[in-house]
Amino acid sequence: MAQVRTEQTKFLLSESELPRRWYNIRADMPSPPQPVLHPGTGEPVGPDDLAPLFPMELILQEVSEDPEVAIPEEILDIYSLWRPTPLFRAHRLENAIGTRSRIFYKYEGVSPPGSHKPNTAVAQAYYNAKEGRTRLATETGAGQWGSALAFACTLFQLECKVYMVKISYEQKPFRRSLIQAWGAEIVASPSEETQVGRAILEEHPDSPGSLGIAISEAVEDAAQREDTAYSLGSVLNHVLLHQTVIGQEALAQMEQAGAFPDVVIGCVGGGSNFAGLAFPFLREKIAGRDIDVLACEPAACPTLTRGLFAYDFGDTSKLTPLVPMHTLGHDFIPEPIHAGGLRYHGVAPLISQLVRDELIRAEAYLQTDVFGSAVEFARHEGIIPAPEAAHAIHGAVLTARAADEAGEERTILFNLSGHGHFDMAAYDNYFAGKLEDVALDEAEIQRALAAIEGLPTPA
Ligand SMILES: Cc1ncc(COP(=O)(O)O)c(C=O)c1O
């Protein structure tokens, strides 16, 4: 018989404790992020350049240096459908791996689409609807973002068009169904519906797609229609801002638990869930507290650990402005690993700058190791994690093991950014021994990085 435990497992906040402001880390960063540049002129991009693609309120949030932005009541009202989300102490995982460290996780999988993504989807749909747009176009990798935006759009009676990376479209048919259930239109990317898609299909008819390609298609769609704005699920400053409700809640919940993390961990695709948890803790770190902040990425798409900090396009077809970020090059197409949401060649500029300033460190993991930790977690904590979120679990397990080996006891907090109920085909492949680890060789990285030669260099 297992011993009966007396310490609490779940830390919950009431609806009245939902954060009423988003936290803007730009106000506290030791080095300000470098400007996004217009590729034609090389000059910083201004609000007017972005107006065809985004509503003005989001553009102002993108460049805001105010430390906090008030969350409109209409958004809080929708957040209250699933927020505040629970924080758990992973007692059973701790026992299973025999660690002396304490492991906590913030669980974002309780939202209707099953991830952190609606924290920004709802905000973006709200501001677009308020400024008179009637249709949004977007890309999606694993389908989490597409389903979150479809959910948000239906609440504000907006039309929604989703370009879904082809490999995920094929691997995750039920995410597709979810997007359709919430009333959005969906197509596999590269598609025949845009110039960009047709050109790629002509050259590579079997292209598995990538986030970079799907972004190009969605941007082209939005740029060509008056009624349509573009919506991005990660990377941009305003997206990371909206996610900071996660970390603000976690700060209050850790206090409830009578603990403070020595290590804060998240997985990084474009960086939004990681930023959402980590930025409110980085505010404490910048103010002098000692916290190790760890970003976890796939070895098949090692943007932070092996990419360059450089100006690069956010998409494959060079339709976006030039963004100062860690990048593997805009035409890098990652292997079709199962964490589809982590297959992006770049990362958020705010995170890149904080990595450069050594406030954040990064590690890259192989997918079979990640799935090993995901299954261990599921067998003890019960929740089936999304493959993306499993990178953070793996990071937490490795951190606990390293602490044990060093004879230390640490308090570890990670973000469980979503559940994996629509990712069971990936688990089936893992159990069947069919999951391949991709060793990305240096020659391929160098080939892909050649695409950014000649672009401006950050200071
Ligand atoms: C559950 C989950 N976690 C993480 C990510 C990675 O995105 P980001 O780095 O923006 O959080 C995704 C992307 O689709 C996701 O679905």
Side-chain angles (χ1 to χ4, degrees), residues 275-300:
L277 178 68
F279 282 5
F281 287 92
L282 278 162
R283 186 184 210 174
E284 306 285 320
K285 180 167 178 167
I286 293 165
R289 279 189 105 144
D290 184 18
I291 316 173
D292 179 20
V293 183
L294 172 61
C296 306
E297 60 183 13

Side-chain angles (χ1 to χ4, degrees), residues 80-152:
S80 69
L81 287 173
W82 72 94
R83 303 210 73 85
T85 62
L87 179 103
F88 291 90
R89 170 90 184 266
H91 289 291
R92 291 165 192 277
L93 179 71
E94 287 170 20
N95 286 341
I97 62 175
T99 184
R100 291 164 37 186
S101 289
R102 300 193 285 178
I103 303 178
F104 292 86
Y105 59 96
K106 178 78 168 152
Y107 185 42
E108 288 294 303
V110 294
S111 75
S115 79
H116 64 294
K117 298 281 182 183
N119 296 331
T120 183
V122 168
Q124 293 190 42
Y126 166 79
Y127 290 115
N128 273 291
K130 197 169 160 221
E131 292 184 30
R133 289 308 218 296
T134 56
R135 181 176 175 273
L136 297 183
T138 197
E139 72 294 325
T140 191
Q144 289 271 21
W145 168 244
S147 53
L149 194 67
F151 159 72

Side-chain angles (χ1 to χ4, degrees), residues 385-402:
E388 291 83 4
H391 286 71
I393 298 175
H394 190 59
V397 168
L398 292 184
T399 303
R401 290 216 175 103

Side-chain angles (χ1 to χ4, degrees), residues 114-117 140-146 175 211 233-235 239-240 243 267-275 339-343 347 351 386-390 415-419 423:
S115 79
H116 64 294
K117 298 281 182 183
T140 191
Q144 289 271 21
W145 168 244
R175 278 264 162 224
L211 274 173
S234 190
V235 180
V239 179
L240 275 52
Q243 294 293 351
C267 68
V268 171
S272 71
N273 87 88
F274 171 79
L342 305 186
R343 294 176 68 240
V347 72
I351 292 176
E388 291 83 4
N415 199 9
L416 190 62
S417 53
H419 67 66
D423 300 284

Side-chain angles (χ1 to χ4, degrees), residues 113-363:
S115 79
H116 64 294
K117 298 281 182 183
N119 296 331
T120 183
V122 168
Q124 293 190 42
Y126 166 79
Y127 290 115
N128 273 291
K130 197 169 160 221
E131 292 184 30
R133 289 308 218 296
T134 56
R135 181 176 175 273
L136 297 183
T138 197
E139 72 294 325
T140 191
Q144 289 271 21
W145 168 244
S147 53
L149 194 67
F151 159 72
C153 281
T154 193
L155 296 179
F156 289 100
Q157 288 96 45
L158 295 172
E159 282 178 60
C160 179
K161 172 73 178 263
V162 180
Y163 294 85
M164 182 168 185
V165 176
K166 195 192 280 165
I167 179 77
S168 296
Y169 187 89
E170 285 160 3
Q171 281 175 350
K172 299 185 180 178
F174 296 130
R175 278 264 162 224
R176 246 197 275 162
S177 318
L178 210 55
I179 291 169
Q180 284 165 330
W182 277 313
E185 204 188 316
I186 180 163
V187 65
S189 165
S191 78
E192 294 286 351
E193 297 189 18
T194 62
Q195 279 178 23
V196 163
R198 287 189 292 274
I200 290 169
L201 285 174
E202 205 172 316
E203 217 180 309
H204 306 286
D206 296 328
S207 167
S210 69
L211 274 173
I213 294 172
I215 293 173
S216 298
E217 291 206 274
V219 169
E220 181 186 320
D221 177 320
Q224 282 180 353
R225 287 181 57 156
E226 271 290 299
D227 62 349
T228 302
Y230 169 61
S231 176
L232 188 64
S234 190
V235 180
L236 297 177
N237 301 348
H238 68 264
V239 179
L240 275 52
L241 174 82
H242 300 153
Q243 294 293 351
T244 57
V245 285
I246 303 173
Q248 293 181 69
E249 288 176 7
L251 268 166
Q253 288 162 310
M254 290 300 288
E255 200 177 313
Q256 239 185 53
F260 192 84
D262 301 305
V263 193
V264 173
I265 300 175
C267 68
V268 171
S272 71
N273 87 88
F274 171 79
L277 178 68
F279 282 5
F281 287 92
L282 278 162
R283 186 184 210 174
E284 306 285 320
K285 180 167 178 167
I286 293 165
R289 279 189 105 144
D290 184 18
I291 316 173
D292 179 20
V293 183
L294 172 61
C296 306
E297 60 183 13
C301 190
T303 318
L304 287 170
T305 49
R306 293 174 73 188
L308 277 185
F309 181 78
Y311 270 109
D312 195 7
F313 293 95
D315 70 319
T316 305
S317 297
K318 307 194 263 190
L319 298 177
T320 69
L322 289 167
V323 183
M325 61 180 177
H326 286 84
T327 178
L328 293 162
H330 53 263
D331 69 2
F332 177 74
I333 299 194
E335 290 294 325
I337 54 163
H338 282 281
L342 305 186
R343 294 176 68 240
Y344 182 58
H345 67 272
V347 72
L350 291 177
I351 292 176
S352 289
Q353 186 62 49
L354 291 160
V355 167
R356 234 185 155 199
D357 289 343
E358 298 181 356
L359 285 159
I360 298 172
R361 68 187 178 90
E363 289 181 353

